[in-house]
Amino acid sequence: MEETSREAVATAVQRVAGMLQRSDQLDKVEQYRRREARKKASVEARLKAAIQSQLDGVRTGLTQLHSALLDVKDIQSSLADVSKDWRQSINTIENLKDVKDAVVQHSQLASAVENLKNIFSVPEIVAETQQLIEQADLLQAHRKLIELECSRDDLMYEQYRMDSRNTSDMNLISIYFEDVQGLSDELAKQLWMVLQRSMVTVRRDPTMLVSVVRVIEREEKIDRRMVDRKKQSGFIPPGRPKQWKDKMFEVLEGTVSTRIEGSQSVTRDEDKMWLVRLLEITRKYVLDDLIVVKNLMVQCFPPHYNTSNRFFSLYHNAVSTRVKELAAEDLEANEIVSMLTWVLNTYKSVEMMGHPELHSECDINQLEPLLPQDVVNDLLSKYVQTFTSNITGWLRKALETDKKDWQKETEPEADQDGYYQTTLPAIAFQMFEQNLQVAAQIDGDFKEQVLKLCLKQMNTFLIRYREEAVAYKEDHLRDRKLPQCYVQYMIAIINNCQTFKESINSLKRKYSQSSEATDSDAAIERTLNEVAKEGCQFLLDEVFLDLDNHLNELLTRKWLMGSHAVDTICVTVEDYFNDFNKIKKPFNQEMTSEALRRVVMEYIKAVMQKRITFKNADERREGAERMIKEADQFKFLFRKLAAGEDTDRLCGAISAIAEVFKLTDPTLLYLEVTTLLSKYPDIRLK
């Protein structure tokens, strides 16, 4: 308290000092005193009120405690009286055991009396019920069955209550009502039979299906009541719970599965299109049945059954199981395609689960995939393997057929522009086109994969094609008379290269979303160019084999004396190029340029080999003039054949050499030769 008083005094001193810091504040001392007095009075009043409130609360609590004490004493006294009365009534309760037994017995007898009519008429009711079941009057048959079961169950329940250990009486009741269980089983068979034919029944007689559902609903209610009674008494009648509702869904599931599994009408041995036929029948069955479910079946079941979704689930699961079984079989390539196209595209399309009539009942986006992704990947991998093997075999056979055509004595066919060709490119790309069309039905990514595979196979095939073209040329060189149409078929081989290029570009535009070049593209382009260039080279070799003797006459004494070697060369070249006109661009242009280059090269080679020694200046001038004339002949010929811009330059090399031969002043020889070599620096190499 002293500590508190000191703190209060110190605080008061501090406040007074704060109020009287200036001299003019001394005039307000009385005003400050009255204000502080009012504050003090207010605080004291609040303290008194708080203390009074606390005292009132304590007083009320003491009063309630006193009242509670009195109540506890009264309860204690009452409990003592109850305990005394209970001890006195123990003997009386034991004497009432006989009364209790009598009550139980009376209850049993009352139940027996109540069911007496049914008990005596059990055989008659059993016969009536059996007849009703046979007549398919299911509701009336079930009503009779319930009467019999109620009589049996009530008697058993009362017997259980009286003596649960007395199995002999229980057995006696069971034996007497043994036909009841048989009737229940017989009725159940009828119900399951109707459910198994539910798709037919709901169209012809929907009331029959409604009766089945009503019977099952009744049994469900009885099952729930019996289970609840078991929780209370421990007794449940034999055969309960029947769980017919669960059994109903099992039957419907089995019915749907059987319908899907039974849709296969033929096997692979009987029909190569067995799988396509099977999938189409399955599609039709599922679509027709689900439309029936939506329009008719839903009305026969209670709303809480969620009939539409349940049947959609049943059909989806059945179809999924079936396609998994089919996927596990040893399917051929075309069958894999049919399967995946149906699973990935047709199933969710408007032709099946996405049908407009089912749209309101089924969200196709919520359906689980029919096949797991790993199974789909396995099928795609198997298809790729089979396709690779097949395409290799097809291309090999196509090439063998084309090679046989090369030996024919008739010219190859020409296209609408008159260019020679064979059927090989058309056959090859028809195979590719068919497989790409099939792949496009499955998936866009898979289509790209198959296209890359086709291009890869094409590259391998073209390498073999090149080898066969070389072998064809070598066989011809062994006997140049055979085959008779060697030149024409070699032209067709060259033209095929351009056709291959155009077909490949067409496939890529049609089936590829990517514009980027692949490794196969570059390899194919390179191989085709090599085949075409080698083919052109082979044809030129054929030309120059015929020209060999005439080329050897150039710049010889015979040539100077008036040989017709160049005339023959020009005629022969022109004759060959009448056939070479049937080579497609750009190969025909390249071939003409190469022919000019080789003719000029052979001519200059004849000059460099010094086959003739001119005796005097006159012979030299005569030879030079002949060379200039022949250069003009070559120029005229190859201009006619459209050899290109190099015609004048190349033929000018012969004229330039001739001008050197014309020189009569030796001092100018070095200058002319130097000028010649600067203009044609590669002459020395030739």
Side-chain angles (χ1 to χ4, degrees), residues 274-300:
W274 69 278
L275 185 57
V276 174
R277 189 186 301 275
L278 168 61
L279 295 174
E280 175 58 21
I281 293 173
T282 302
R283 183 198 67 80
K284 188 175 184 304
Y285 279 2
V286 172
L287 180 59
D288 292 347
D289 288 358
L290 290 178
I291 291 176
V292 169
V293 169
K294 178 199 171 189
N295 296 331
L296 299 175
M297 191 81 75
V298 171
Q299 303 171 20
C300 299

Side-chain angles (χ1 to χ4, degrees), residues 640-659:
K640 183 178 178 181
L641 297 178
E645 299 176 356
D646 283 347
T647 303
D648 291 348
R649 189 182 69 84
L650 291 174
C651 293
I654 299 175
S655 299
I657 294 173
E659 292 297 331

Side-chain angles (χ1 to χ4, degrees), residues 462-670:
L462 290 175
I463 293 173
R464 175 75 185 281
Y465 189 55
R466 178 186 178 187
E467 294 172 352
E468 293 296 340
V470 173
Y472 183 53
K473 184 261 299 188
E474 292 175 350
D475 289 343
H476 171 69
L477 292 179
R478 295 188 186 97
D479 184 356
R480 294 188 62 211
K481 295 180 180 180
L482 297 175
Q484 294 182 6
C485 296
Y486 167 77
V487 171
Q488 289 80 2
Y489 277 101
M490 186 59 72
I491 292 173
I493 291 172
I494 296 169
N495 289 338
N496 284 348
C497 294
Q498 186 63 24
T499 305
F500 278 129
K501 287 184 180 181
E502 294 169 355
S503 299
I504 289 171
N505 291 332
S506 175
L507 283 183
K508 290 174 65 178
R509 286 194 302 269
K510 188 173 182 180
Y511 293 103
S512 178
Q513 302 298 323
S514 174
S515 58
E516 296 181 2
T518 64
D519 295 338
S520 295
D521 293 337
I524 289 173
E525 181 76 15
R526 183 171 58 253
T527 304
L528 286 173
N529 287 336
E530 289 174 353
V531 173
K533 288 180 179 179
E534 288 177 354
C536 292
Q537 194 67 40
F538 296 159
L539 290 176
L540 289 177
D541 289 344
E542 185 74 6
V543 175
F544 281 89
L545 282 174
D546 287 346
L547 298 178
D548 190 55
N549 293 332
H550 305 293
L551 291 172
N552 289 333
E553 286 185 12
L554 296 176
L555 275 294
T556 60
R557 179 63 56 182
K558 181 180 179 182
W559 166 79
L560 185 62
M561 299 301 293
S563 169
H564 298 289
V566 171
D567 295 334
T568 305
I569 290 171
C570 290
V571 170
T572 303
V573 169
E574 185 173 8
D575 182 58
Y576 268 105
F577 270 83
N578 286 333
D579 286 335
F580 296 166
N581 284 334
K582 295 184 179 180
I583 298 176
K584 290 182 178 181
K585 295 180 180 179
F587 305 123
N588 58 355
Q589 180 69 39
E590 294 173 359
M591 190 170 179
T592 307
S593 299
E594 178 63 17
L596 170 61
R597 191 191 68 81
R598 286 184 64 172
V599 167
V600 173
M601 184 181 70
E602 291 294 334
Y603 200 101
I604 295 176
K605 187 191 296 183
V607 174
M608 305 303 285
Q609 287 176 350
K610 302 178 182 179
R611 297 176 183 174
I612 185 173
T613 302
F614 295 110
K615 297 178 180 179
N616 51 48
D618 292 337
E619 278 192 359
R620 200 165 55 251
R621 184 179 66 257
E622 182 183 352
E625 290 174 353
R626 189 173 183 85
M627 289 173 64
I628 293 171
K629 176 186 175 184
E630 290 174 348
D632 290 339
Q633 281 184 269
F634 291 143
K635 188 183 300 184
F636 176 78
L637 170 65
F638 284 101
R639 279 179 178 174
K640 183 178 178 181
L641 297 178
E645 299 176 356
D646 283 347
T647 303
D648 291 348
R649 189 182 69 84
L650 291 174
C651 293
I654 299 175
S655 299
I657 294 173
E659 292 297 331
V660 174
F661 285 0
K662 280 184 177 183
L663 288 176
T664 56
D665 186 355
T667 60
L668 298 175
L669 181 62
Y670 178 78

Side-chain angles (χ1 to χ4, degrees), residues 264-282:
Q264 183 170 347
S265 57
V266 293
T267 62
R268 181 186 289 120
D269 295 336
E270 298 169 339
D271 187 352
K272 293 297 182 183
M273 301 297 290
W274 69 278
L275 185 57
V276 174
R277 189 186 301 275
L278 168 61
L279 295 174
E280 175 58 21
I281 293 173
T282 302

Side-chain angles (χ1 to χ4, degrees), residues 60-291:
T60 301
L62 290 173
T63 302
Q64 290 176 347
L65 286 173
H66 180 70
S67 176
L69 180 61
L70 294 176
D71 290 340
V72 169
K73 289 181 179 179
D74 290 341
I75 292 170
Q76 187 176 12
S77 176
S78 298
L79 286 173
D81 294 341
V82 169
S83 177
K84 182 179 178 181
D85 292 341
W86 177 73
R87 289 190 183 93
Q88 292 176 353
S89 62
I90 289 177
N91 295 331
T92 304
I93 292 172
E94 291 178 353
N95 293 332
L96 290 175
K97 184 176 183 303
D98 294 338
V99 176
K100 178 183 176 184
D101 294 340
V103 169
V104 172
Q105 188 175 10
H106 178 271
S107 176
Q108 286 182 330
L109 292 173
S111 177
V113 170
E114 183 180 348
N115 293 286
L116 193 59
K117 179 181 178 181
N118 290 339
I119 292 173
F120 284 119
S121 59
V122 165
E124 181 182 348
I125 297 174
V126 167
E128 291 178 6
T129 306
Q130 182 68 43
Q131 186 176 4
L132 290 170
I133 292 174
E134 293 173 356
Q135 294 173 354
D137 191 350
L138 302 180
L139 289 177
Q140 288 300 319
H142 187 248
R143 186 178 64 79
K144 294 286 185 182
L145 177 62
I146 289 177
E147 290 178 5
L148 291 170
E149 288 183 339
C150 284
S151 298
R152 179 198 64 186
D153 297 346
D154 288 346
L155 289 173
M156 284 187 165
Y157 178 61
E158 294 302 333
Q159 176 60 37
Y160 180 83
R161 287 177 58 195
M162 184 177 69
D163 187 1
S164 60
R165 298 178 182 177
N166 189 349
T167 57
S168 60
D169 289 346
M170 282 287 193
N171 291 336
L172 182 62
I173 297 173
S174 297
I175 292 171
Y176 187 75
F177 285 93
E178 62 182 352
D179 292 336
V180 174
Q181 186 60 43
L183 288 175
S184 178
D185 295 340
E186 188 66 28
L187 178 61
K189 289 180 182 179
Q190 290 295 322
L191 299 180
W192 312 148
M193 189 179 300
V194 173
L195 288 171
Q196 287 169 353
R197 303 179 67 251
S198 56
M199 286 298 167
V200 177
T201 304
V202 77
R203 292 184 178 96
R204 296 181 180 177
D205 186 10
T207 56
M208 177 66 73
L209 187 58
V210 173
S211 297
V212 170
V213 176
R214 288 179 62 186
V215 168
I216 292 172
E217 279 292 288
R218 289 177 187 174
E219 288 292 339
E220 282 295 301
K221 290 179 181 178
I222 296 173
D223 278 351
R224 288 194 293 270
R225 191 169 66 248
M226 293 297 113
V227 170
D228 291 341
R229 188 166 72 176
K230 180 183 179 183
K231 293 177 182 177
Q232 297 173 359
S233 65
F235 172 77
I236 190 166
R240 293 287 177 185
K242 293 184 180 180
Q243 298 179 325
W244 278 6
K245 183 178 178 181
D246 293 340
K247 179 63 177 176
M248 173 185 69
F249 291 128
E250 291 178 9
V251 171
L252 290 174
E253 182 178 359
T255 301
V256 171
S257 297
T258 301
R259 183 161 174 78
I260 298 301
E261 292 173 0
S263 57
Q264 183 170 347
S265 57
V266 293
T267 62
R268 181 186 289 120
D269 295 336
E270 298 169 339
D271 187 352
K272 293 297 182 183
M273 301 297 290
W274 69 278
L275 185 57
V276 174
R277 189 186 301 275
L278 168 61
L279 295 174
E280 175 58 21
I281 293 173
T282 302
R283 183 198 67 80
K284 188 175 184 304
Y285 279 2
V286 172
L287 180 59
D288 292 347
D289 288 358
L290 290 178
I291 291 176

